Amino acid sequence: PPDPRRERKVVYLRKLAALLRRDSQPNDALLLLRGLEPAEKIEPDVVEEMAVCWALLGKPASAAEEYEKAGAVSMIGLPMADWRLVAGAARWRLKAGDRDAALQHLDTLRRINPTAPAVTELEEAMKRLSISDFRFQIADCRLERAMMHTLRPLAISNVQSEI
C-alpha cells in the first residue's frame, strides 16, 4: 500500500518546485524534483512540472525526454504504459518540432488507450501544424518569386553594365 507520508512529501515538493518555477528559478525546481525517488519521478504531475521547467529553459526536447524516460520506466513490470506519459511525450515532441517522434507517440497512445482525450487533442494539433507548414511553404514560394522578380532585373542590369 502507498505510504501517505511519501505521497504528501511528493505533493509538497511538486508545489515547492512550481513556486520556484514561477519565481523564474526553473533550474532549482528541476534540482529539487530530481531528488525524488525513481518511482516518484514517474508520476505524471511530477513529470509535467519537470517538462514545464525544461520548456522555460528553452529546451522542449528535454521536456519530451522526461516523459519518454518516465514512460519507459513505468512500463517495466506494468501491463501497459500510463497513457498520460505517452500523451505528454507526444505533446512535448510536437512543441520541440519533432513531428515524426510525436506521431510515433501518438500511434502508441492510440494502441494503449484509443479513447484518451489526448488522442483527439494531439490529432488536431498535428493537423494545425500541417496546415501551418503548408501556409508557410506557400508564403515561402511567394517570397521566392517576388525576390526573383526583384533581383533578376538588378542582375541583368549589373551584367549589362559590366559588358
Side-chain angles (χ1 to χ4, degrees):
D3 181 1
R5 291 182 308 215
R6 295 267 336 140
E7 289 178 15
R8 283 195 302 273
K9 175 189 162 203
V10 171
V11 169
Y12 173 78
L13 291 176
R14 187 173 45 80
K15 288 182 178 184
L16 182 57
L19 288 172
L20 287 167
R21 174 181 48 82
R22 289 184 198 120
D23 195 34
S24 300
Q25 299 178 52
N27 278 323
D28 293 339
L30 282 169
L31 286 172
L32 179 70
L33 294 173
R34 288 196 176 180
L36 293 170
E37 297 294 323
E40 297 163 344
K41 286 189 232 180
I42 65 170
E43 292 180 17
D45 291 336
V46 172
V47 178
E48 179 62 16
E49 187 60 44
M50 293 172 82
V52 171
C53 289
W54 281 116
L56 288 173
L57 293 169
K59 298 181 178 185
S62 295
E65 289 170 12
E66 291 292 347
Y67 271 100
E68 290 163 347
K69 285 188 290 190
V73 170
S74 73
M75 284 191 257
I76 297 171
L78 296 178
M80 74 169 58
D82 186 326
W83 68 268
R84 296 170 297 175
L85 297 174
V86 177
R91 188 168 28 90
W92 284 103
R93 281 291 169 201
L94 203 54
K95 288 179 183 183
D98 190 347
R99 187 185 323 200
D100 292 338
L103 190 55
Q104 287 178 337
H105 290 306
L106 178 56
D107 289 341
T108 301
L109 179 58
R110 286 183 187 125
R111 281 194 308 279
I112 64 173
N113 191 344
T115 60
V119 171
T120 305
E121 170 194 328
L122 288 164
E123 288 171 340
E124 289 173 4
M126 296 285 267
K127 285 178 192 172
R128 282 193 306 274
L129 189 59
S130 294
I131 290 170
S132 175
D133 284 353
F134 181 69
R135 287 181 182 153
F136 178 76
Q137 288 171 355
I138 290 172
D140 194 39
C141 288
R142 287 180 180 158
L143 178 62
E144 194 174 304
R145 273 193 235 128
M147 288 176 64
M148 289 301 292
H149 289 297
T150 304
L151 296 176
R152 183 175 285 152
L154 290 173
I156 292 170
S157 69
N158 284 342
V159 168
Q160 288 174 346
S161 67
E162 289 179 12
I163 296 179

